[in-house]
Amino acid sequence: MSAQDEEIVGKAYDGRLMRRLLGYVRPYRAAVVLATLAAVLHSAAAVAGPFLNQVLIDRYLAPTHRPGAAGFLAARLPQNPYRGITLIAALYILALVLGFALDFTQTYIMQWVGQHSMFDLRRDLFQHLQRLEIAFFDRNPVGRMVTRVTNDVQVLNDMIASALVAFFDDSFVLVFIVAILFHYDWRLALLTLSVLPLIAFAAFYFRRAVRDSYRRMRAALAHINAFLQEHVSGISVVQVFNREAQAQEEFRSINRAHRNAWIDAVVAHAIYYPVVDILSNLAVAGILWWGGTSVLQGRLTAGVVVAFILYAQRFFRPIQDLSEKYNLMQSAMASSERIFKLLDTPVALASPAHPAAVSDRPGRIEFDRVWFAYKGEDWVLQDVSFSIEPGATAAVVGHTGAGKTTLISLLLRFYDVQRGAIRLDGRDLRAFDLQQLRRRFGVVLQDPYLFSGPIAHNIRLGESSISDEAILHASRSVNLHEFIEELPQGYDTVLRERGNELSTGQKQLVNFARALAPQPPYLILDEATSSVDTETELRIRAALNHLVKNRTSIIIAHRLSTIQRADQILVMHKGRLREQGTHQQLLRLRGIYWRLYQLQYKDQELASDSVPAPSLSSP
Amino acid sequence: MPRRQLLTLVPYLARYRRRILLGLLILLFNVAAFAAVPYILKLVFDHLQHGLSPRRLLIYVGWFLAAILLRAGLQYLQRLILISTSRHIEYDIRNDLLQRLTTLSRPWFQRMRTGEIMARATNDLSAVRNMLGPGLMYSANAIVLFVIVLAVMLRLDPRLTLIAFLPAPIVILSVQWFGKRIHDRFERIQSMFAVLATKVEENLAGLRIIRAYAREQSEIAAFDELNREYIRRNLRLVLLSGAFDPLLAALIGLALVLVLWFGGRAVASHQISLGTYVAFNAYMMQMSWPMIAMGWVINLVQRGSASWSRLREIFDQPPEIADAASTDRSLQAVRGEIEFRHLSFSFPGEPPAAPPRLRDLSLRIPAGSSLAVVGPTGAGKSTLASLIPRFYDAPRGALLLDGRPIQDFPLAVLRRSIGLVPQETFLFSDTLRNNIRFGEPAAGDAEVLEAASIAGLAPDLERFPRGLDTLVGERGLTLSGGQKQRVAIARAVLRQPRILILDDALSSVDTVTEESILERLREVMRGRTTLFISHRISTIRHADLIIVLDHGRILESGRHAELIGRAGHYASLYEKQLLEEELQAV
């Protein structure tokens, strides 16, 4: 799944893709049969008008007594022209009413089928995205996946709504018209249809001509959107760096490309429509001449010629916008290609067939000679072994890129280790059910992510078994409650996207409450690095005490206070576990931890003339 | 109100008045040729009954061909001229829109969401174009055709004409009625679509949380609910749109039935000829399109004018911060002395009862010296910094530059002399080179590399295979937070600004790198004014003057050593930071 996928311009019809799409229609096949039936009947009603006119003219307006001219209907009409005409008008009205009802039925059923198929397709896509492993999302940007579920399915929907529905109906109408024309007179019918190849030819050339300008137009529009998005978001930067004039200049050229692509398309349209117009009227001219001559020679009736002329106009109408439908089909095929490619991406990391149960009491975490790389042999963790006893707290320290966050991702089985094993109470993680395993962990990630919606919803996170009391309790114990109480709507206060109306510290506290609410036996915490004000800092620190109580915890620590409280400190350096022990033990070791610590100490020395050296053993 | 606003479109149209008039003239002839066709049919069928010579028939067919060829040629020209003109007008308006956007100031952008501005520049503009292009063309077409056909039909048979046109008002009304409702339901679908997209986006952005908490099932359930609502709204639209087309077909069919019934009886009683009957049929079929088009055009105009009034909101918005009559154009350079004089400041639009963001702040930064601002989140540090490039306007006289009210300086001159590294780094999806020389597009590679090296970017550049040509952003490389900040620093430094503002600009850079960047900065900023805002004392220790800000007030000010000695807020902040500062790389 790559950026090139976005530029797929494929065939307008691909049997393989079409069959898979039809798979989504299959559950609703009864409805499709019904709609098809309605479409056939509607087409019959839709072609009644010219036929009734023919009967009217030949029976009453320009009566002829040639055999064969009087058809099935004409023979049954009364002698009296006034009654006969009224009868024909009544039949016509009947055809109109039936046509209206059948057309609506047909369209609604087809759209109903289309909507439900698209519902199923969207659901399949979303469910598949929920199953795909994290590694997949490292490779594929979020925006592109959103496009799959929304826009690409929408394109299919548009195809169904406008192309497919009309296609069904139009083709039946065409079949009926051709049948009637041949029934009237096969020579005149052939003459009428003789312009068809020419129209097909014109449509082909037109499509080729507009294809390029449509492509350019789409590219230019994407360009305009990207430019605007970027320059509106970064308007302050544009202004403070005096880039207004350049921005306008750049925009003008993008805008010009958009306009020119459109104007090319306008030219193509301006040629195509009149050409089709000429060709279809050429057929009418042929009907006039040949039909007129035949009438004069007594071979045809005036009514038939009128019917031919009226049918010809109806006949060429759907062909006129054939190329638009072609474009629609083409982009629909490209979209379904992308959709199925995503659906076909196998899930590389899943639960075993017969999972072991995960205990709901704090257990022992063990890393046994773990090796891990995100890509190839680019080892992020090398031979890492340690264990955390039930109920104990381990702090992981080390600088950026040491592999700290990777430890957490592996523990949650976002990725599988390449060598070695991670065990929970002596059992390999891979033996457990993924969901059950993860539910045993309370997790606070470094970026405190909030979802739009009420605060309570953010703490509960869709788990209906978490009671309001549990939420209250959780937020009280992490010092969040009093802040929430101050909000106008309390726990029902609706947050917008990412919860940006809260400060970073507040967001962190909400994440703490979220981790605590289900009372998990294990805790994983990636401490946020970003600075918060002192008061929030104190709250967070107090909350932390609550979080680790009676839990096996692993914390990526950035704060000295956290590190000192830990039962065990794991010092990661360049993907290896280099040192482990308590704060005092590690200091005595005079190794990496000691150096990390010295950095802090050195800064203290700088100010030692004015500030008493802070006591590091105090909490 | 919308009507008067529509008048503001006149200048855009006037620029193309010759083309538009020519297009309309062509349209007139085009329609006349079109309306001739049924009349030729009448001649053929009138004579067909009473013996017609083959030569005569050939002549009529010749006329027919001539009419359709003429029509096709004119139709080509008409489309070419009128539709492409609407594209030109769209282009002009869109350019003007961007021009206007670049002059608007930050308070306005904070009131408007980005998506809303984008929607105006694309969807609304497109609605306006539809009104000016197809809307104008089809309504002119419909009106002209209506007038000509009506005249011909009335001449042929006034009674039948009136009867045939009985359904016309119903067609126009129902097109309009359905059009409006279909549009409303469509909008409801669009907004649901946005909700659906947001749901997916949020789900994927918060993927790790969802997985970690094993809440996939509840997410799927929530998505299903939105998905269901989405198709429900779609089917509500189909209920209308699915009835609309068949209804139009039926109504137009009704006109044909009326022609058949009354016209047929008139032919039977020899009141009109067969040719006239055929011509009426053909005319009614010709008229079906204008009848539909009229209702459709009414909707186009309604939508277009609503869109245009939304666009006018942007065009009518005066730039809140701009050069004024009092601006002294002779000021073309800045020395860099900044003075705040009893400055109190609130953001525009804040309730008067709310405490001001900055309170009675007085401070002088001599040209060439450095000032550091520390304080907790929400103290007013960034607000203070945003007054200098005039993102917001300080009360006149409360902020002086080189001893004069900052508003005296032309805005372009003021901003040209500032290098700003904003708190939230914003880079453009372009090459690193173009991002660094954003403020100095003419800068050569040597200067760009020099600025990059000052910002500590040189080692990163070596690691990028394409060096300065590396693309940044969605289609290119994703930079780390620290790398982005350093690009932003390079961008500011390259300008060799008189005033450099670093708003928490090193927060994602480790302390070792920070130290070396600061050292280089001190060198290049010698003799220039520098304003540091930071949470980290390591960043600001060397500043000529440090102020501690809290709730918009200066609590303390002095040099690092003095403030430490005073054992006040700064000293305790320092103490805390020493204790709790993140452990850094060895």
Side-chain angles (χ1 to χ4, degrees), chain B residues 36-58:
Chain B
V37 169
Y39 201 82
I40 298 168
L41 291 180
K42 171 188 153 56
L43 294 176
V44 173
F45 283 93
D46 275 348
H47 292 91
L48 214 51
Q49 272 182 307
H50 312 108
L52 175 70
S53 69
R55 222 189 113 252
R56 189 87 203 174
L57 179 62
L58 214 55

Side-chain angles (χ1 to χ4, degrees), chain A residues 532-551:
Chain A
V532 291
D533 59 90
T534 327
E535 198 194 316
T536 318
E537 174 75 48
L538 287 171
R539 281 174 181 238
I540 289 175
R541 199 187 298 173
L544 210 61
N545 283 333
H546 245 281
L547 283 169
V548 298
K549 207 175 281 170
N550 302 325
R551 296 200 163 84

Side-chain angles (χ1 to χ4, degrees), chain A residues 496-516:
Chain A
R496 287 195 307 215
E497 273 173 79
R498 309 280 188 275
N500 276 338
E501 50 268 76
L502 302 188
S503 75
T504 313
Q506 289 162 344
K507 282 194 241 179
Q508 232 169 323
L509 289 176
V510 173
N511 273 257
F512 280 1
R514 178 194 289 163
L516 206 56

Side-chain angles (χ1 to χ4, degrees), chain B residues 222-240:
Chain B
F223 179 78
D224 268 7
E225 203 175 302
L226 299 179
N227 197 0
R228 205 173 298 282
E229 172 63 18
Y230 180 64
I231 69 162
R232 200 185 65 83
R233 291 190 186 186
N234 266 294
L235 286 173
R236 266 178 65 80
L237 172 70
V238 175
L239 218 49
L240 281 188

Side-chain angles (χ1 to χ4, degrees), chain B residues 401-460:
Chain B
L401 187 63
D402 298 345
R404 305 185 57 154
I406 195 160
Q407 288 86 351
D408 282 3
F409 288 83
L411 200 55
V413 172
L414 170 72
R415 288 180 174 166
R416 209 175 291 283
S417 57
I418 293 174
L420 172 73
V421 187
Q423 194 170 21
E424 278 178 29
T425 314
F426 190 91
L427 300 182
F428 289 83
S429 43
D430 201 339
T431 59
L432 272 177
R433 176 187 292 104
N434 285 342
N435 265 296
I436 294 175
R437 61 177 189 191
F438 191 72
E440 295 290 322
D445 274 4
E447 293 162 78
V448 171
L449 286 171
E450 169 66 11
S453 119
I454 292 169
L457 261 181
D460 305 76

Side-chain angles (χ1 to χ4, degrees), chain A residues 173-242:
Chain A
V173 168
L174 291 190
V175 169
F176 276 111
I177 291 180
V178 170
I180 295 174
L181 292 188
F182 274 92
H183 164 76
Y184 280 143
D185 187 81
W186 65 270
R187 277 155 305 194
L188 195 50
L190 279 183
L191 180 73
T192 311
L193 299 184
S194 66
V195 295
L196 266 187
L198 294 175
I199 291 183
F201 199 64
F204 173 76
Y205 266 93
F206 169 69
R207 192 177 58 74
R208 277 228 324 226
V210 291
R211 187 169 50 192
D212 178 57
S213 51
Y214 277 178
R215 191 188 51 70
R216 276 161 48 214
M217 182 197 85
R218 274 195 295 268
L221 189 65
H223 222 127
I224 286 179
N225 279 326
F227 186 94
L228 276 172
Q229 167 84 46
E230 199 167 73
H231 282 74
V232 169
S233 312
I235 188 76
S236 293
V237 176
V238 170
Q239 289 176 344
V240 82
F241 284 94
N242 305 77

